[in-house]
């Protein structure tokens, strides 16, 4: 909350040695202690002025839109609440480092007796901020340099540049973001990027150079994003021993696609939510705006969370997707879905479920996956109220299936195919929450329904049903500017 | 002259002319032979790009493998260059092995027990290697130069052909990228400052050397064809039958009648006779 100062006319002491000497002021001051309380109660007030201190390059119109509601407040409590909301909105714009709110009675000639002045004292962000990080993971170390230009032209436009220089690959991305003045949820952004990714489960290396433009807008409680993306993809083999099926996919292709995504998220947190639901539906149509890849892709994610007794949370989730190539060309390995790993079906190697050729996983054109989870606090609640709150015990049941479809066969055949040979697993473990970004899991997992060609973890131990897991990291939020990860 | 070609040549030339003129057409699928008695159960596949003229690389390796009496299946793919483990074409896919470039292919085939140069002694083998190097250094580089460094050819033929399998703007990007790469390579080997005339001179000298070595023999090493014959045939045949903006390169080769006869002979013997005799199909 910002600082709220409310000044009132101070009463002078009723008796004291100096009372007589203040003759002139004495008659001016007639208020009594009770009057102070009267002002602080729900007395009707009118906000007459809203002042801004500290604006530099920010333009006026964008500010006016955010604080418009403050003028509508009718009593002091509402003024405080609306000012607080306006402060949140101003901070959301991402152009101020700090926003303080001062509420004061109105002074001046046109001041009404119940008039209030609200002053926002803001500190703008610097024109250019930089960051430097090093990242280590996946057998690769990299240096990430970031540059941010917030509030470029005064209306909360933001330009971000990220450059990652790694031992294996180099990536960079440039992004321009512009919200609509007065309606931050409607925003527009353009991205330019080059990312490289290595996928050892498919012996594939992929380099994407692309440009995308997207527009987000809310409708009622949902958030929609419409995007056009043009990507020049270069696929290559990661090693000489890559299978021929993967080798055949090497080369260049151009994908130009239009996509629409809808998200409804009422969860209280994205990592270990306690309540709420999430629904994401995504459609993509490629090929009609250029490029040489043509398909229709559909995928969805549903998650429901419910809090139970004793601080435990029950969570159910379901994902699914389908890729339909248009025309004669078969689908490309870069567009297909993958299944397996700590974020989908635990107990199976990362993306190592489904059609494969000589040990390289090729992905599939249709999949579904689901999970039932029960999160409870640690037994005996060590560190309760502090560090222990970051941990949860976790019981889970995961299932899923991935396959290629022959689209000539009809929907009944497809459903039957997806319903046979289901891979599933169950187990328990501990989850550690890392800020609001990621979660770390340590699980003991039993994979079942393993099909020929799948890769359940640690097969070389020759204990086909018992698998002890090492650290695996489920990270639902990966900064998408610079990571190339398979979008399910 | 090559211009007044006899009947059996028309077929091959007209096919290539069609390929040349329709520079924007997508690469064609040429499937030649299907039988696989090379190693039981394994089919040999040669994948080639649409660069320059698909047949440059096609004819070299195909000639070699056919001279070894090995049945092959030929497939042209636009991304053959990227599929190849070394980035060069042609390459063969046998079972689950992939071998690229003529040198390693020859080694591979030799390891499987087929070789064309068994009958040669050490001196002759060394000589053969020397001539193969000459052809690679001279003729191959001259062809590359003509495709990518001669502005008229680049503008009219090469760019369109190289980018034809890809949609806009990828066709331009990849063509420029390749051109830049080739020019850089040319600079590295010292050909960066050569003019077209100098290149043609070098080709002439190379052809002269080959012609002298060939003399009146049917093949370079008398009666039996060797790798050198396959290589020379591939290059010369391509030069002779591909149409470019100027015909000077093929004119240089045509000056040597024994080389012409040599090419005719190999084409007749290994490509047409085989084509008639066995179950091959040539799509046009």
């Amino acid at each position: 909350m910002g600082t709220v100062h409310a000044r009132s006319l101070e009463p002078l002491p009723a008796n004291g040695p100096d009372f007589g000497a203040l003759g002139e002021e004495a008659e001016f001051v007639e208020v009594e202690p009770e009057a102070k309380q009267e002002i602080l109660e729900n007395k009707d007030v009118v906000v007459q002025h809203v002042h801004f201190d500290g604006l530099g390059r920010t333009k006026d119109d964008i500010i006016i839109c955010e604080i418009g509601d403050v003028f509508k407040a009718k009593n002091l409590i509402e003024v405080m609440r609306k000012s607080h909301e306006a402060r949140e909105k101003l901070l959301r714009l991402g152009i101020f480092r700090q926003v303080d709110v001062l509420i004061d009675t109105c002074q001046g000639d046109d001041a009404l007796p119940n008039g209030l002045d609200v002053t926002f004292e803001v500190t703008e962000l610097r024109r250019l901020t930089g960051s430097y990080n090093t990242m280590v993971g996946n057998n690769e170390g990299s240096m990430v340099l970031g540059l941010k230009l917030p509030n470029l032209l005064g209306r909360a436009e933001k330009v971000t540049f990220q450059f990652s220089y790694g031992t294996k690959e180099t990536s960079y991305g440039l992004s321009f973001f512009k919200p609509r003045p007065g309606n931050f949820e409607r925003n527009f952004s353009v991205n330019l990027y080059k990312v490289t990714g290595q996928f050892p489960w498919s012996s594939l290396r992929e380099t994407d150079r692309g440009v995308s433009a997207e527009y987000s807008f809310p409708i009622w409680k949902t958030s929609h994003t419409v995007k056009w993306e043009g990507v020049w993809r270069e696929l290559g083999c990661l090693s000489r021993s890559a299978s021929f099926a993967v080798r055949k996919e090497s080369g260049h292709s151009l994908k130009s696609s239009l996509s629409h995504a809808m998200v409804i998220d009422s969860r209280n947190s994205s990592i270990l939510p306690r309540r709420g639901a999430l629904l994401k539906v995504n459609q993509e149509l490629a090929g009609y705006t250029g490029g040489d890849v043509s398909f229709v892709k559909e995928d969805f994610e549903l998650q429901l969370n419910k809090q139970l007794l004793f601080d435990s949370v029950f969570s159910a989730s379901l994902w699914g997707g389908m890729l339909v190539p248009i025309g004669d060309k078969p689908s490309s390995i870069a567009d297909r879905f993958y299944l397996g790993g700590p974020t989908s079906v635990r107990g199976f190697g990362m993306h190592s479920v489904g059609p494969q050729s000589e040990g390289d996983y090729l992905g599939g054109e249709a999949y579904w996956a689901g999970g039932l989870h029960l999160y409870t606090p640690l037994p005996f609640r060590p560190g309760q109220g502090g560090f222990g709150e970051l941990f949860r015990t976790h019981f889970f049941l995961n299932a899923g299936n991935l396959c290629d479809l022959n689209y000539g066969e009809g929907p009944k055949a497809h459903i039957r195919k997806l319903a046979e040979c289901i891979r599933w697993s169950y187990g328990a473990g501990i989850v550690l929450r890392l800020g609001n970004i990621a979660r770390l899991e340590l699980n003991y997992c039993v994979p079942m329904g393993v099909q020929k060609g799948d890769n359940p973890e640690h097969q070389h131990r020759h204990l086909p049903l018992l698998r002890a897991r090492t650290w695996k990291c489920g990270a639902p939020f990966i900064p998408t500017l610079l990571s190339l990860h398979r979008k399910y | 002259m090559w211009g007044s070609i006899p009947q059996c040549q028309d077929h091959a030339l007209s096919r290539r002319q069609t390929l040349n003129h329709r520079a924007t057409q997508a690469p064609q699928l040429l499937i030649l032979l299907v039988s696989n008695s090379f190693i039981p159960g394994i089919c040999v596949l040669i994948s080639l790009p649409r660069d320059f003229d698909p047949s440059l690389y096609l004819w070299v390796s195909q000639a070699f493998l056919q001279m070894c009496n090995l049945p092959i299946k030929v497939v042209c793919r636009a991304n053959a260059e990227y599929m190849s483990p070394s980035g060069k074409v042609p390459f063969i896919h046998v079972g689950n092995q992939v071998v690229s470039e003529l040198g390693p292919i020859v080694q591979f085939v030799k390891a499987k027990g087929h070789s064309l140069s068994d009958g040669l002694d050490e001196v002759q083998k060394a000589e053969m290697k020397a001539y193969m190097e000459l052809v690679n250094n001279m003729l191959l580089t001259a062809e590359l130069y003509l495709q990518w460094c001669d502005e008229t050819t680049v503008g009219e033929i090469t760019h369109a052909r190289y980018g034809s399998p890809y949609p806009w703007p990828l066709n331009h990007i990849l063509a420029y990228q390749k051109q830049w790469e080739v020019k850089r390579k040319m600079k590295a080997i010292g050909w960066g400052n050569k003019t077209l005339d100098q290149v043609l001179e070098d080709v002439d000298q190379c052809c002269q050397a080959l012609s002298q070595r060939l003399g009146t023999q049917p093949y370079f090493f008398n009666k039996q064809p060797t790798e050198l014959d396959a290589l020379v045939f591939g290059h010369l045949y391509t030069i002779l039958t591909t149409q470019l903006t100027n015909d000077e390169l093929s004119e240089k080769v045509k000056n040597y009648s024994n080389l012409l006869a040599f090419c005719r002979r190999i084409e007749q013997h290994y490509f047409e006779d085989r084509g008639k005799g066995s179950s091959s199909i040539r799509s046009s």
Side-chain angles (χ1 to χ4, degrees):
Chain A
M1 277 280 290
T3 337
V4 176
H5 298 267
R7 259 195 304 170
S8 65
L9 302 168
E10 283 174 51
L12 287 175
N15 45 17
D18 298 318
F19 185 62
L22 292 165
E24 207 179 351
E25 278 166 74
E27 61 194 343
F28 193 70
V29 175
E30 280 179 27
V31 73
E32 293 157 56
E34 285 69 41
K36 194 181 198 167
Q37 286 166 10
E38 195 187 327
I39 290 173
L40 288 179
E41 273 169 15
N42 273 342
K43 188 175 156 187
D44 275 351
V45 296
V46 167
V47 177
Q48 284 192 271
H49 303 112
V50 175
H51 301 280
F52 267 89
D53 270 344
L55 288 181
R57 61 184 190 274
T58 312
K59 298 280 185 290
D60 293 344
D61 50 7
I62 191 174
I63 302 291
I64 290 171
C65 299
E66 301 295 336
I67 52 109
D69 274 352
V70 175
F71 284 105
K72 297 184 189 144
K74 291 281 178 283
N75 54 54
L76 187 62
I77 301 295
E78 254 189 54
V79 170
M80 284 166 60
R81 192 181 319 125
K82 296 260 187 247
S83 311
H84 174 64
E85 280 169 14
R87 178 179 175 274
E88 294 291 305
K89 278 196 197 170
L90 287 170
L91 285 172
R92 183 180 63 166
L93 287 177
I95 57 182
F96 299 124
R97 190 183 310 147
Q98 205 178 340
V99 178
D100 288 334
V101 183
L102 262 70
I103 303 177
D104 198 357
T105 49
C106 222
Q107 312 288 321
D109 299 333
D110 59 340
L112 296 172
N114 59 350
L116 288 184
D117 270 357
V118 181
T119 307
F120 288 90
E121 284 174 4
V122 302
T123 324
E124 281 180 347
L125 287 173
R126 280 200 295 262
R127 272 193 191 271
L128 178 70
T129 48
S131 69
Y132 174 83
N133 306 308
T134 36
M135 277 193 339
V136 177
N138 274 352
N139 298 325
E140 182 183 359
S142 54
M143 181 184 92
V144 182
L145 176 73
L147 285 177
K148 193 159 79 155
L149 286 89
N151 203 12
L152 190 67
L153 302 167
R155 289 194 171 84
E157 299 91 355
K158 186 164 68 168
V159 171
T160 333
F161 177 68
Q162 230 176 324
F163 178 76
S164 160
Y165 181 76
T167 46
K168 287 186 191 163
E169 316 280 2
T170 303
S171 316
Y172 47 81
L174 179 70
S175 157
F176 172 76
F177 170 83
K178 178 172 166 59
R180 185 147 151 197
N183 205 339
F184 190 75
E185 263 129 40
R186 280 180 195 267
N187 52 58
F188 171 74
S189 76
V190 176
N191 305 302
L192 205 67
Y193 57 89
K194 177 206 164 205
V195 274
T196 40
Q198 295 196 349
F199 307 106
W201 48 83
S202 306
S203 295
L204 188 74
R205 184 198 310 128
E206 182 175 342
T207 302
D208 280 7
R209 295 171 182 85
V211 57
S212 74
E214 59 186 76
Y215 181 69
S216 298
F217 53 94
I219 293 182
W220 191 43
K221 291 196 181 138
T222 63
S223 160
H224 294 252
T225 307
V226 174
K227 177 160 96 161
W228 171 81
E229 189 177 20
V231 188
W232 164 20
R233 301 187 296 207
E234 189 182 334
L235 296 170
C237 295
L238 209 51
S239 68
R240 281 193 82 105
S241 54
S243 66
F244 200 71
V246 170
R247 211 173 261 289
K248 270 203 295 203
E249 306 254 14
S250 314
H252 298 264
S253 69
L254 187 70
K255 177 182 91 158
S256 165
S257 70
L258 290 168
S259 69
H260 166 256
M262 178 193 83
V263 177
I264 310 175
D265 192 353
S266 63
R267 302 175 301 176
N268 65 321
S269 154
S270 36
I271 314 284
L272 296 183
R274 290 182 160 277
R275 61 181 177 279
L278 166 74
L279 174 65
K280 270 196 216 174
V281 179
N282 188 47
Q283 288 77 244
E284 188 175 352
L285 172 69
Y288 287 90
T289 45
D292 55 8
V293 180
S294 251
F295 59 78
V296 172
K297 192 172 182 183
E298 183 78 44
D299 62 272
F300 74 93
E301 182 183 340
L302 175 66
Q303 190 187 99
L304 301 163
N305 301 287
K306 185 161 173 56
Q307 191 151 11
L308 303 173
L309 306 166
F310 307 122
D311 213 10
S312 31
V313 177
F314 176 74
S315 172
S317 48
L318 181 66
W319 307 246
M322 193 146 134
L323 171 73
V324 183
I326 300 175
D328 300 324
K329 259 171 100 171
S331 56
S332 163
I333 197 173
D335 297 316
R336 293 197 275 262
F337 300 105
Y338 294 82
L339 193 65
T343 48
S344 52
V345 184
R346 293 173 180 77
F348 291 84
M350 187 75 183
H351 295 168
S352 303
V353 166
Q356 53 100 17
S357 158
E358 294 167 40
D360 292 333
Y361 291 90
L362 306 172
E365 288 167 355
Y367 84 105
W368 68 269
L372 296 170
H373 305 256
L374 181 68
Y375 298 96
T376 61
L378 291 177
F380 311 116
R381 297 204 180 219
Q384 183 174 9
F387 191 61
E389 293 299 316
L390 297 173
F391 289 89
R392 284 274 179 281
T393 22
H394 173 212
F395 302 93
F396 58 86
L397 173 69
N398 288 141
N401 200 0
L402 176 87
C403 63
D404 276 331
L405 299 182
N406 177 354
Y407 292 100
E409 286 172 357
K412 282 219 176 81
H414 299 168
I415 295 178
R416 199 180 332 122
K417 212 165 168 189
L418 282 172
E420 7 176 89
C421 314
I422 296 178
R423 284 90 167 161
W424 59 284
S425 67
Y426 62 90
I430 299 183
V431 181
L432 166 66
R433 177 198 173 117
L434 291 177
N436 219 17
I437 314 169
R439 52 194 255 178
L440 224 53
E441 293 184 9
L442 175 65
N443 292 323
Y444 183 80
C445 185
V446 180
M448 312 281 284
V450 178
Q451 301 299 320
K452 180 160 167 281
D454 291 347
N455 181 24
E457 297 268 68
H458 299 294
Q459 195 151 20
H460 65 272
R461 286 205 197 159
H462 301 293
L463 290 172
L465 292 184
L466 298 179
R467 297 277 177 270
R469 286 303 214 100
T470 50
W471 287 101
K472 66 181 161 121
C473 195
F477 273 176
I478 306 172
T480 48
L481 191 61
L482 273 192
S483 77
L484 188 68
H485 61 286
R486 288 275 169 249
K487 299 186 191 59
Y488 288 127
Chain B
M1 295 308 291
W2 215 254
S4 55
I5 39 182
Q7 201 57 26
C8 46
Q9 292 288 1
D10 275 344
H11 175 72
L13 180 59
S14 64
R15 178 168 53 82
R16 189 159 302 105
Q17 270 181 331
T18 324
L19 284 176
N20 284 337
H21 288 306
R22 289 188 276 153
T24 52
Q25 88 186 111
Q28 296 200 325
L29 201 69
L30 301 172
I31 300 181
L32 278 172
L33 279 177
V34 184
S35 73
N36 43 8
S37 56
F38 176 54
I39 293 168
I42 296 169
C43 184
V44 178
L45 174 94
I46 302 183
S47 307
L48 308 162
R50 63 291 176 264
D51 195 14
F52 190 34
D53 182 313
S55 47
L56 164 66
Y57 306 101
L58 168 65
W59 294 123
V60 167
S61 303
Q62 198 181 335
F64 169 70
L65 290 164
Q66 285 189 312
M67 285 170 186
C68 294
N69 273 321
L70 296 170
I72 52 173
K73 174 178 164 188
V74 180
V75 175
C76 273
R77 291 182 68 109
N79 61 340
E81 220 176 343
Y82 310 107
M83 282 169 68
S84 156
S86 69
K88 297 244 170 53
V89 280
F91 69 93
I92 56 172
H93 173 225
V94 184
N96 57 358
Q97 279 181 300
V98 178
V99 184
S100 68
E101 289 183 73
L102 186 67
I105 291 178
V106 169
Q107 296 293 332
F108 178 79
V109 165
K110 198 166 173 179
K112 301 289 177 195
H114 300 262
S115 173
L116 291 181
S117 49
D118 282 342
L120 303 178
D121 61 27
E122 290 306 316
V123 173
Q124 286 178 314
K125 278 192 185 157
E127 202 185 341
M128 183 183 76
K129 282 207 173 62
Y131 274 103
M132 284 175 77
E133 278 305 310
L134 173 71
V135 171
N136 273 332
N137 284 339
M138 282 294 172
L139 287 184
L140 181 59
T141 324
E143 283 149 15
L144 270 181
Y145 181 94
L146 204 64
Q147 278 179 76
W148 291 104
C149 302
D150 176 38
E151 293 306 326
T152 31
T153 320
V154 167
E156 285 178 34
I157 297 181
T158 323
H159 255 204
R161 184 201 301 284
Y162 194 80
S164 62
Y166 299 108
W168 183 89
L170 208 54
N171 52 0
H172 295 304
I173 297 175
L174 291 178
Y176 279 113
Q177 203 179 46
K178 176 78 179 179
Q179 189 181 8
W180 182 78
E181 236 176 80
V182 172
K183 281 197 165 148
R184 205 171 55 142
K185 196 163 89 166
M186 290 291 155
K187 261 201 199 100
I189 58 172
W191 280 52
N193 294 327
K194 283 201 179 182
T195 62
L196 186 61
D197 290 326
Q198 282 173 326
V199 169
L200 292 172
E201 256 316 296
D202 289 337
V203 168
D204 194 41
Q205 281 177 0
C206 179
C207 290
Q208 196 177 27
L210 288 173
S211 179
Q212 276 176 350
R213 180 66 186 81
L214 184 62
T216 49
Q217 298 167 91
Y219 300 109
F220 278 94
F221 291 96
N222 211 4
K223 292 287 187 280
Q224 292 304 318
T226 57
E227 290 97 73
L228 178 61
D229 299 281
L231 188 67
V232 172
F233 166 72
H235 283 274
L236 292 182
Y237 190 57
T238 312
I239 292 175
L240 287 167
T241 51
T242 305
Q243 233 178 13
L244 297 172
T245 44
N246 62 7
D247 283 329
E248 291 179 29
L249 193 62
S250 57
E251 289 299 322
K252 292 283 178 197
V253 176
K254 284 179 196 172
N255 287 336
Y256 300 94
S257 54
N258 60 347
L259 291 179
L260 271 187
F262 167 77
C263 290
R264 279 269 297 116
R265 196 180 312 123
I266 293 191
E267 199 205 356
Q268 248 182 348
H269 186 65
Y270 288 99
F271 290 94
E272 287 163 18
D273 292 347
R274 290 232 174 167
K276 286 177 200 143
S278 56
S279 56
S280 69
I281 326 133
R282 264 184 212 190
S283 62
S284 52

